[in-house]
Amino acid sequence: MSAYGLLAGAIACEIVATLSLKAADGFSRLLPSVIVVIGYATAFALLGFALQRGLDVGVGYAIWSAVGTTAVAVLGVLLFRESLSVTAIGGIALIIAGVVLIELGNRATTGSPEQPDPAAAVVHDH
């Protein structure tokens, strides 16, 4: 699986875990609490695998946090009837714009969205 595929899985797990925090009710409810722990553990593992596959940590984390933040904010409105002010929507737009700029800057310096570390490709036979 590609680094971006692993990152997408990490984002999905993080979103599920974050939304489950509300249902866990301060970790007083067992099943949602277990989902929180497993979701975050899986999210971090998948993010780690994405980084291992050559995704830059700054770009990967920026995408992970921006997409997760945006999705949780929108899902909070849809699922929990939370509200977003115009200012909050503007802030989310700025987060997304910032991630786009980080990704564009990364492509300008590396020539591609995901360029593996050449040192990672070296195999040592002992």
Side-chain angles (χ1 to χ4, degrees):
M1 183 177 285
S2 75
Y4 282 99
L6 291 164
L7 181 60
I11 292 167
C13 290
E14 187 262 340
I15 292 167
V16 169
T18 301
L19 292 173
S20 296
L21 278 171
K22 188 150 184 131
D25 195 28
F27 292 100
S28 64
R29 298 181 57 219
L30 181 62
L31 182 58
S33 298
V34 169
I35 292 171
V36 169
V37 172
I38 291 172
Y40 281 127
T42 304
F44 281 112
L46 291 173
L47 179 59
F49 292 136
L51 298 176
Q52 181 186 30
R53 296 267 169 99
L55 188 63
D56 289 346
V57 69
V59 172
Y61 187 73
I63 293 169
W64 183 55
S65 60
V67 173
T69 299
T70 303
V72 168
V74 169
L75 289 169
V77 170
L78 297 174
L79 299 174
F80 305 124
R81 300 186 188 265
E82 297 174 349
S83 62
L84 289 174
S85 66
V86 173
T87 305
I89 293 168
I92 291 169
L94 288 172
I95 291 169
I96 294 168
V99 170
V100 169
L101 290 173
I102 289 169
E103 179 63 18
L104 290 174
N106 184 56
R107 288 181 188 205
T109 59
T110 65
S112 71
E114 90 184 61
Q115 182 172 346
D117 180 5
V122 175
V123 176
H124 299 282
D125 291 327
H126 293 293

